[in-house]
Amino acid sequence: MTGQAALRTFAEREGATFEVRNPANGDLVGQVANMGAAELDAAVARAKAAFPAWSAQGDAALQQACRAVCAEIADHSEELARLITLEQGKPLNGLGSRWEMGGTLAWARYTSELSLSPRLLQDDSQGRVALHRRPLGVVGSITPWNFPVMIAIWHLMPALRTGNTVVIKPSPHTPLATARLVEIINKVLPEGVLNLVTGDDRGFNLGGAMAAHADIRKIVFTGSCATGQKVMRSAADTMKRLTLELGGNDAGIVLPDADPAAIAEGLFWGAFLNNGQTCAAMKRLYVHASIHDAVCDALTAYARTVPVGDGLDEASRLGPVQNRMQFDKLCRLVADAGQRGRVLLGGAPAEGLFFRPTLIAGLTNGDALVDEEQFGPALPIIRYDSVDEAIALANDSPDGLGGSVWSADIAAAREVAARLECGSVWLNKHGAIQPNAPFGGRKASGLGVEFAEEGLNEYTDIQVIFG
Ligand code: NAD
């Protein structure tokens, strides 16, 4: 073997896996296969081969199979929670990885019990018309790093429940828990129904290749707006079905009659759930001038009580930021905001990837921390004078994922909610999604919805039989 050939072989072997490190301390958590086009083709071929038998087995059998999947996940819940904490960084406790596993099971179970029955549109002397829902074939699932197991389940369960087979690609930042989830689920599924592909996004563009693949009929994608747009472009030639759950820049509006002390805890977790690395977290807070200072004081006082540390420490309620790129973005936005506004709490990076909860007042639309999705533990607070002004500022965004209104007067809050240009609005809470309510973005925040019957529909094509 020539020297150059040896070097090449070594480089290829090096590229055959990539490392996953614990964001709390940089320790190696595991190695994952760095796959290319051949591995993707093989995974899609397995899924395609498994589709005819899987989809033909009938609704009751599909439901039974999904229930068996739920039982396996329940048996491995703690193991998966620990793996999420190790690679994602969120704490085991509080609204952390055990909570993520609780959500995972709730969604898996609820989706298993849903059913799409045929609908008779007409049955009279003029004729019979029946609407059926047909599975699509191979579904490609592409997931982000913030809730690696729960979001995987949001994609997998409706796909499997409706008779599709799946190829899933987790984020290169958090592939281990998803890989283990797939292994666990595959104990009870037939060969080829659920397949995993992994890659590090540096060489071969695995997600892009999935979006363009001729034998994948749908992509369900959760991630940033920029990548979602790329998926949409790559998917055009094969006319794929798409569900795109993208970024958000959710506004919260505190009306003048709200009680600052009563809402402080809800405001905090609405913004800082998962360290703010949550699609539908509150990312801008608009507070009426009459209670602005009192809300700032109450929020700051509550934020000071939240323990930040290594996620494996049972006392931690927030962990590190998940990755360097996200951390650097946060540092840039907070440094800029610190010069324009008034730092109430935090305001500077701590050790490693840790960044303590940061609250910055005195900002307005046009400031980067207000306009951009920070996706991290820093909340801008904006003072407003009239409710019309607050609604205009909240809607002044290309995104439209979620929003919230905080008030003692629920009727008044509902009126404000109706005027917000976003897919979900919560009253006196933020981000509380649930499996029986469709969830999706308006404007640039996405296409289609997940959850409930509306979400299930997205894994099917309509077929109407006349006669
Ligand atoms: P990202 O867009 O960087 O990556 C998401 C996934 O896309 C990863 O698996 C990545 O490997 C893959 N990918 C990269 N390039 C691709 C390409 N060209 N084609 C197809 N796939 C490709 O997002 P992220 O940083 O992992 O997650 C953070 C973002 O996700 C935030 O904007 C957040 O708001 C959003 N998010 C949205 C929701 C929601 O439900 N709306 C939920 C969670 C996160």
Side-chain angles (χ1 to χ4, degrees), residues 29-45:
V29 186
Q31 306 256 4
V32 182
N34 201 8
M35 298 183 185
E39 285 99 338
L40 174 62
D41 283 346
V44 175

Side-chain angles (χ1 to χ4, degrees), residues 52-367:
W54 178 252
S55 58
Q57 63 185 316
D59 196 60
L62 285 170
Q63 185 165 57
Q64 276 311 115
C66 287
R67 287 176 180 157
V69 165
C70 295
E72 285 301 323
I73 298 171
D75 284 351
H76 295 84
S77 187
E78 178 65 13
E79 176 197 344
L80 287 167
R82 298 193 89 83
L83 206 43
I84 293 170
T85 291
L86 281 172
E87 68 174 351
Q88 204 281 337
K90 68 184 65 177
L92 287 169
N93 285 323
L95 300 171
S97 57
R98 288 177 180 140
W99 180 79
E100 177 170 343
M101 286 312 302
T104 296
L105 271 170
W107 259 275
R109 286 176 174 144
Y110 187 86
T111 310
S112 299
E113 300 311 312
L114 286 175
S115 194
L116 295 179
S117 317
R119 270 171 54 209
L120 210 48
L121 304 179
Q122 184 185 328
D123 191 15
D124 57 23
S125 58
Q126 304 296 308
R128 185 177 190 277
V129 182
L131 183 154
H132 299 266
R133 295 262 169 196
R134 306 297 187 205
L136 302 167
V138 180
V139 169
S141 151
I142 302 175
T143 57
W145 47 260
N146 55 349
F147 292 92
V149 170
M150 188 161 69
I151 292 179
I153 282 299
W154 291 353
H155 293 186
L156 300 179
M157 290 308 285
L160 297 174
R161 178 69 190 85
T162 43
N164 300 280
T165 55
V166 178
V167 175
I168 183 169
K169 189 203 86 61
S171 163
H173 296 295
T174 53
L176 295 169
T178 315
R180 183 68 184 127
L181 175 77
V182 167
E183 209 170 59
I184 287 163
I185 291 177
N186 273 339
K187 287 203 255 173
V188 292
L189 291 184
E191 163 71 23
V193 170
L194 174 59
N195 308 272
L196 175 82
V197 289
T198 48
D200 70 358
D201 277 356
R202 269 178 259 181
F204 181 65
N205 179 357
L206 198 50
M210 288 171 72
H213 203 288
D215 286 333
I216 293 182
R217 291 303 312 132
K218 174 194 171 84
I219 293 285
V220 50
F221 170 87
T222 303
S224 63
C225 293
T227 313
Q229 287 165 353
K230 287 186 197 163
V231 168
M232 203 167 176
R233 280 187 210 110
S234 308
D237 286 347
T238 49
M239 199 53 75
K240 280 189 181 56
R241 277 63 184 132
L242 292 174
T243 302
L244 303 176
E245 293 290 357
L246 308 180
N249 195 5
D250 292 12
I253 299 178
V254 180
L255 298 182
D257 70 348
D259 174 354
I263 63 174
E265 184 175 353
L267 286 176
F268 180 84
W269 289 110
F272 290 88
L273 168 67
N274 201 25
N275 246 343
Q277 304 167 126
T278 304
C279 51
M282 192 204 307
K283 292 172 182 148
R284 306 173 278 156
L285 179 61
Y286 296 90
V287 186
H288 190 265
S290 63
I291 55 166
H292 174 273
D293 293 355
V295 169
C296 287
D297 289 348
L299 192 51
T300 307
Y302 182 81
R304 283 188 201 284
T305 68
V306 177
V308 181
D310 187 322
L312 287 181
D313 181 341
E314 301 273 346
S316 297
R317 290 296 175 273
L318 289 175
V321 171
Q322 205 280 326
N323 60 73
R324 174 62 56 184
M325 201 174 68
Q326 193 53 51
F327 185 81
D328 290 345
K329 180 182 184 186
L330 189 67
C331 290
R332 169 176 67 79
L333 291 172
V334 169
D336 177 75
Q339 292 189 334
R340 292 161 186 277
R342 193 160 46 90
V343 177
L344 305 176
L345 187 71
E351 295 225 324
L353 291 178
F354 283 91
F355 204 112
R356 294 197 158 270
T358 289
L359 298 166
I360 305 184
L363 297 173
T364 189
N365 285 35
D367 291 330

Side-chain angles (χ1 to χ4, degrees), residues 360-430:
I360 305 184
L363 297 173
T364 189
N365 285 35
D367 291 330
L369 184 61
V370 180
D371 285 5
E372 290 184 38
E373 184 188 28
Q374 67 276 54
F375 215 62
L379 180 68
I381 303 170
I382 303 111
R383 181 194 293 262
Y384 73 85
D385 292 312
S386 78
V387 173
D388 283 348
E389 177 198 358
I391 293 169
L393 290 169
N395 287 338
D396 175 25
S397 164
D399 297 332
L401 194 58
S404 58
V405 187
W406 304 73
S407 170
D409 181 346
I410 294 302
R414 283 196 189 122
E415 276 181 31
V416 174
R419 294 172 62 193
L420 294 180
E421 296 166 357
C422 51
S424 306
V425 190
W426 294 275
L427 307 187
N428 294 320
K429 54 188 173 182
H430 196 112

